[in-house]
Amino acid sequence: MAQYAEVWVNVITDAVDRPFHYRIPESLSGKVQEGALVKVPFGGQKVWGCVGGLLVSPGVSGEKIKDIFAVDDDKAGLNQEMISLARWLSERYYCRFMEAVNLMLPPGYGKVREKKEKYVMLTSLAESKSVSFWQELRQKAPRQAQVMDSLLNKNPAPWLEISRWTGADSRVLNQLVSKGLVEVEERISEKMSWLEDYVSRGDSLFEESISLTAGQQEAVSEITSAISGKERETYLLHGVTGSGKTEVYLRSIEYCLQEGRKALILVPEIALTPQMVAYITRRLSGRVVLLHSSLPLRERYQQWLRVKEGKCPVVLGTRSAVFAPLENTGLIIVDEEQENSYKQEESPRYHARDVAEWRAAYHSAVMVWGSATPMVESYFRSESKEIKRIDMLHRATEYSLPPVEVVDMRREMRRGRKSIFSRQLVERVEEVLRQGEQALLFINRRGFSSFVLCRECGHVVRCPFCSVSLTFHYHSGSMVCHYCYYTADPPEMCPGCSGIYIKYFGTGTQRVEKEMQKLFPECSVLRMDRDTTSRKGAHRRIWNDFRSGKAQIMIGTQMVAKGMDFPGVTLVGVIAADTALHLPDFRASEKTFQLLTQVSGRAGRGSKKGTVVVQTYHPEHYSIACARDHDYFSFYREEIKVREELMYPPFTEMLRMVLLSEEENEGWEGILEISKGLRSGPLGVEMLGPAPAPLFKIKGFYRYHLILKGKSLDNISDRVREVTRSFRLSKRGKKSRLIVDFNPAVML
Ligand code: ADP
Ligand code: ZN
């Protein structure tokens, strides 16, 4: 009989990243299991921890060993799958074991207690009583009778509600209970979220009876036969925008449920894909739980609990939902698998798609990765037959993909046209307005576009803390840093050359809005970006306004690029296609191609034909040319060549170490120390750097980085761990922050 336990305490530092031994007191014997959450004394405090294993004898001398105080409720504890997953995560993503455990706990663990409500219901005895019994009760105990009457209307009902209606107090309730007429149960009240709105709109979009296209049919039959064969299979569902991937997901989920298994659907961001979320929740009504971080904590906890208790067979959620306590999972869908939001940008720096892959293997589940523009890495895996691919290269509706017109802005400039809108774009907008249709104007990442520039020397005003260019805001007349919110007035003279031709260059959403409004004063223009959607519900309001046709033009950032379906839109304009093309990141071409494809997918989704106008200074670049031709494969062929030549993923694994320091010199010394530590033996992989990170300073921290890349990083991983640990525990390490990022999504 095990009398001791290994406990990982919830103290997240490198010094404590190992289990400690505790005695299991007699009162808890049998209750302390692997994965259980326990309260233990640690360094004079009471902390909670996770039981990593049971021991027959203590590993340390008997007198020092302390007792476990208590075991937490068993719902929160980790099962076997989660314990193994936590181990895998801590190894692959170089995080501490307890950081991984924390991902799997109920939302708000240790912060909220589940709040139960008292429900009252009729017993079978009450239901068997005759009319005369009730008449007698009414005369002798009118209050009790009233309670019974209200229960006839609603059974079971929350006691709070009944007592408010009838004025009965708990004494009345107790009498009814002792007569055996009612039962009381503690329940967690179940409340649906803001999504109800979307779901109840009753759009024709929710048709259940649509007949599948040939492409959909084929996809569904492949996926469902893999589910029925309980095959461990991964499908890359490469479907152009509008090919009807949602319907494929739904039919596959429905099939999976019929087979008695459960399903998990991951989406990049709920707010960006309200339509698909509405569609799915509506079709699977009552059987789907929504898990994402913008729900109130209490609600998230209730949802989580429903999954844990096996009350709900489908989970739909964002990144962290990949840890939903589902059992017997048959299908895992990752929609828009190329999205960066699947990668967590804080420790543990996991990628939800990779975690999903691990869980699918554990459950022998089928995986479906959906995308119109798959990640080059994923497509490569399908090309090399490691995973299967299903192509849906035609739209589900009868409308073909819109033609894309590329406008060379250099020529516009040479012709003396300095406006941010080319002649072609303006003409197209005029046409749309004349026809009473809608236009969507898209601007890349605002932080990189509307910078303050000196036209004489080219000096760009940058944030003193973050080294990114400041964005000019018309509204307040000031410049803002979009990393740290540093704000300043624009200079009257150029700090570089003292010139006076300071120009707010480029294209922020506000600038485009203003210029559009000037060109078309009679037309109403909506803007959707982080500024206009920061208030609660604003996103939904703008979305609804545009969809219902209250405005003819909408201007937005990548927020509008993804997932939205506006049937009235016949024109999509991309103001500056190349703002993302020159970022110092090896995925810049890929990101540009993805964005252009996504925005052009917004045009012509309704019954009218759409057009896309792309303005660029680099019309010959393959990202832009292939996006124009809706040609993913050619893009892939070009891009994969570059990746192979430069030995980037998928040909290598990558690991990035970033050191953040408040002092420039300390940071540089620190990263040198780390690189020396890594080189203490033969590396066997390539090391880039150390060097200053492209975003050299963020929020007052200097950033230096180095990159390891090689066919496999397995052989170096122990050394990375060692170097990381000893650096973090060193004097210099304690003053700075070292980030270890395996297969980073962003390299800035
Ligand atoms: P994707 O996610 O692949 O871009 P969606 O799933 O959003 O595409 O579907 C695009 C549009 O096509 C939606 O309006 C949807 O209602 C419609 N659609 C899907 N399948 C069919 C079908 N079999 N027949 C007709 N319309 C369909
Ligand atoms: Zn800043």
Side-chain angles (χ1 to χ4, degrees), residues 632-689:
Y632 176 85
F633 192 69
S634 297
F635 163 76
Y636 169 79
R637 261 198 330 240
E638 290 299 319
E639 180 66 13
I640 202 78
K641 268 192 259 168
V642 178
R643 299 284 180 93
E644 186 161 25
E645 209 171 294
L646 302 174
M647 288 306 278
Y648 278 125
F651 300 97
T652 47
E653 288 185 333
M654 268 206 188
L655 186 110
R656 185 184 187 218
M657 296 174 90
V658 189
L659 187 64
L660 278 66
S661 175
E662 280 179 26
E663 281 170 59
E664 201 171 339
N665 198 41
E666 276 291 301
W668 181 241
E669 292 295 327
I671 198 81
L672 282 179
E673 198 176 304
I674 291 162
S675 76
K676 232 179 273 162
L678 290 170
R679 288 187 192 280
S680 66
L683 260 179
V685 297
E686 193 184 344
M687 189 198 291
L688 305 179

Side-chain angles (χ1 to χ4, degrees), residues 462-468 470 480-486 697-700:
R462 291 177 185 276
C463 171
F465 303 106
C466 299
S467 77
V468 290
L470 296 176
V480 177
C481 166
H482 284 288
Y483 278 84
C484 73
Y485 268 86
Y486 167 82
K697 209 175 169 194
I698 296 184
K699 292 178 189 166

Side-chain angles (χ1 to χ4, degrees), residues 563-728:
M564 287 189 201
D565 203 351
F566 299 111
V569 169
T570 53
L571 173 68
V572 171
V574 178
I575 306 299
D578 10 44
T579 33
L581 206 53
H582 304 296
L583 294 177
D585 188 324
F586 77 92
R587 290 199 178 90
S589 304
E590 181 176 19
K591 288 289 159 206
T592 303
F593 177 81
Q594 286 170 355
L595 276 171
L596 290 180
T597 305
Q598 269 166 349
V599 285
S600 37
R602 300 302 104 208
R605 287 179 72 100
S607 52
K608 293 179 207 121
K609 219 164 139 41
T611 312
V612 180
V613 175
V614 175
Q615 305 189 146
T616 175
Y617 289 86
H618 298 267
E620 69 289 343
H621 191 282
Y622 64 87
S623 289
I624 289 164
C626 295
R628 175 195 61 212
D629 300 340
H630 303 291
D631 187 355
Y632 176 85
F633 192 69
S634 297
F635 163 76
Y636 169 79
R637 261 198 330 240
E638 290 299 319
E639 180 66 13
I640 202 78
K641 268 192 259 168
V642 178
R643 299 284 180 93
E644 186 161 25
E645 209 171 294
L646 302 174
M647 288 306 278
Y648 278 125
F651 300 97
T652 47
E653 288 185 333
M654 268 206 188
L655 186 110
R656 185 184 187 218
M657 296 174 90
V658 189
L659 187 64
L660 278 66
S661 175
E662 280 179 26
E663 281 170 59
E664 201 171 339
N665 198 41
E666 276 291 301
W668 181 241
E669 292 295 327
I671 198 81
L672 282 179
E673 198 176 304
I674 291 162
S675 76
K676 232 179 273 162
L678 290 170
R679 288 187 192 280
S680 66
L683 260 179
V685 297
E686 193 184 344
M687 189 198 291
L688 305 179
L695 292 171
F696 181 44
K697 209 175 169 194
I698 296 184
K699 292 178 189 166
F701 283 90
Y702 291 91
R703 301 164 81 244
Y704 290 94
H705 68 169
L706 62 82
I707 292 155
L708 296 175
K709 65 188 172 85
K711 277 239 166 315
S712 158
L713 297 178
D714 289 353
N715 288 332
I716 193 85
S717 69
D718 282 344
R719 198 175 317 151
V720 170
R721 231 177 292 279
E722 253 170 56
V723 167
T724 303
R725 190 181 141 80
S726 65
F727 180 80
R728 281 178 179 158

Side-chain angles (χ1 to χ4, degrees), residues 89-371:
L89 282 165
S90 65
E91 274 170 26
R92 183 176 171 93
Y93 296 107
Y94 298 88
C95 68
R96 293 124 188 162
F97 182 72
M98 281 311 283
E99 288 179 295
V101 168
N102 271 280
L103 294 171
M104 295 156 195
L105 300 174
Y109 177 78
K111 294 183 200 91
V112 281
R113 287 279 121 238
E114 64 179 62
K115 218 167 149 190
K116 286 185 176 169
E117 221 176 317
K118 198 188 262 181
Y119 273 75
V120 183
M121 66 192 88
L122 298 173
T123 60
S124 47
L125 178 70
E127 269 154 341
S128 68
K129 293 289 186 197
S130 65
V131 177
S132 59
F133 173 85
W134 298 116
Q135 281 170 344
E136 203 183 318
L137 186 72
R138 203 156 288 140
Q139 281 160 10
K140 285 189 182 158
R143 271 279 146 75
Q144 289 178 29
Q146 265 177 315
V147 171
M148 299 307 287
D149 279 344
S150 65
L151 274 175
L152 287 179
N153 286 328
K154 188 180 176 184
N155 177 45
W159 172 243
L160 220 67
E161 223 170 86
I162 294 180
S163 64
R164 207 179 299 135
W165 270 107
T166 60
D169 56 18
S170 55
R171 202 173 40 89
V172 178
L173 180 63
N174 290 339
Q175 283 162 348
L176 286 170
V177 171
S178 65
K179 283 181 187 166
L181 295 174
V182 300
E183 270 171 356
V184 177
E185 196 185 85
E186 301 271 308
R187 285 195 184 186
I188 293 167
S189 57
E190 286 168 20
K191 197 173 120 289
M192 256 310 270
S193 62
W194 55 271
L195 257 185
E196 274 175 355
D197 263 38
Y198 282 138
V199 176
S200 59
R201 279 193 349 193
D203 219 300
S204 60
L205 197 87
F206 300 117
E207 291 285 345
E208 258 179 74
S209 51
I210 46 179
S211 53
L212 298 180
T213 64
Q216 287 173 321
Q217 187 59 60
E218 203 171 305
V220 171
S221 76
E222 275 239 25
I223 294 164
T224 53
S225 78
I227 295 172
S228 74
K230 297 199 168 45
E231 288 165 51
R232 163 72 201 95
E233 197 70 76
T234 300
Y235 291 99
L236 177 60
L237 179 59
H238 179 212
V240 297
T241 38
S243 58
K245 291 186 285 296
T246 315
E247 193 60 36
V248 173
Y249 299 156
L250 268 165
R251 305 268 171 133
S252 307
I253 295 163
E254 278 159 356
Y255 183 86
C256 178
L257 297 185
Q258 281 164 27
E259 293 279 291
R261 298 176 76 191
K262 295 180 178 162
L264 172 64
I265 312 146
L266 298 177
V267 294
E269 261 179 81
I270 299 264
L272 293 183
T273 51
Q275 220 138 8
M276 174 173 148
V277 172
Y279 198 81
I280 288 178
T281 41
R282 168 125 166 179
R283 276 272 285 277
L284 299 170
S285 78
R287 291 176 293 172
V288 57
V289 139
L290 207 66
L291 286 179
H292 66 103
S293 54
S294 51
L295 286 177
L297 200 55
R298 230 176 78 74
E299 206 166 309
R300 239 191 307 160
Y301 176 69
Q302 288 168 2
Q303 303 282 44
W304 184 92
L305 197 62
R306 284 181 67 201
V307 181
K308 179 78 179 184
E309 291 176 337
K311 287 182 182 157
C312 211
V314 184
V315 171
L316 171 61
T318 47
R319 182 176 65 230
S320 60
V322 76
F323 299 105
L326 278 171
E327 277 168 42
N328 189 20
T329 310
L331 176 65
I332 302 180
I333 292 165
V334 183
D335 186 41
E336 305 288 352
E337 60 93 30
Q338 80 287 355
E339 283 296 321
N340 274 356
S341 50
Y342 286 125
K343 170 87 175 175
Q344 175 149 297
E345 292 297 351
E346 60 186 63
S347 188
R349 295 170 182 270
Y350 67 91
H351 196 293
R353 188 196 46 218
D354 298 346
V355 177
E357 204 170 4
W358 188 97
R359 292 197 72 187
Y362 189 92
H363 289 264
S364 284
V366 171
M367 286 250 277
V368 178
W369 303 349
S371 178

